[in-house]
């Protein structure tokens, strides 16, 4: 994935696990690994700022 402003390749800023649907037994519980991506170009206005999130469902 690339930065929409400068076109530089993004890097992972942080990753965490997100769980949905675990508040009620009627809801389906789903687990996601979320990665926040940041621009690594020091000349870009988005440098070291979260640019994009990617959510991958774990099974």
């Amino acid at each position: 994935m690339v930065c929409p402003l400068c076109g530089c390749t993004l890097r992972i800023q942080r990753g965490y696990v997100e769980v949905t649907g675990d508040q009620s037994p009627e809801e389906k519980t789903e687990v996601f690994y979320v990665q926040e991506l940041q621009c690594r170009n020091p000349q870009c206005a988005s440098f070291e700022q979260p640019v994009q999130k990617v959510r991958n469902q774990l099974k």
Side-chain angles (χ1 to χ4, degrees), residues 29-44:
T29 301
E30 296 178 320
V31 181
F32 297 91
Y33 185 70
V34 182
Q35 295 175 320
E36 291 183 0
L37 305 175
Q38 69 180 13
C39 183
R40 59 187 183 91
N41 180 359
Q43 284 78 40
C44 182

Side-chain angles (χ1 to χ4, degrees), residues 7-59:
C8 186
T9 304
L10 300 175
R11 69 176 169 208
I12 299 170
Q13 178 180 11
R14 73 182 189 125
Y16 56 91
V17 175
E18 184 177 278
V19 180
T20 62
D22 62 341
Q23 301 298 319
S24 168
E26 289 83 32
E27 294 182 59
K28 181 180 177 186
T29 301
E30 296 178 320
V31 181
F32 297 91
Y33 185 70
V34 182
Q35 295 175 320
E36 291 183 0
L37 305 175
Q38 69 180 13
C39 183
R40 59 187 183 91
N41 180 359
Q43 284 78 40
C44 182
S46 296
F47 179 60
E48 293 187 339
Q49 300 297 317
V51 175
Q52 194 170 21
K53 281 187 182 179
V54 177
R55 292 177 78 218
N56 294 306
Q57 186 173 8
L58 304 176
K59 294 187 178 195

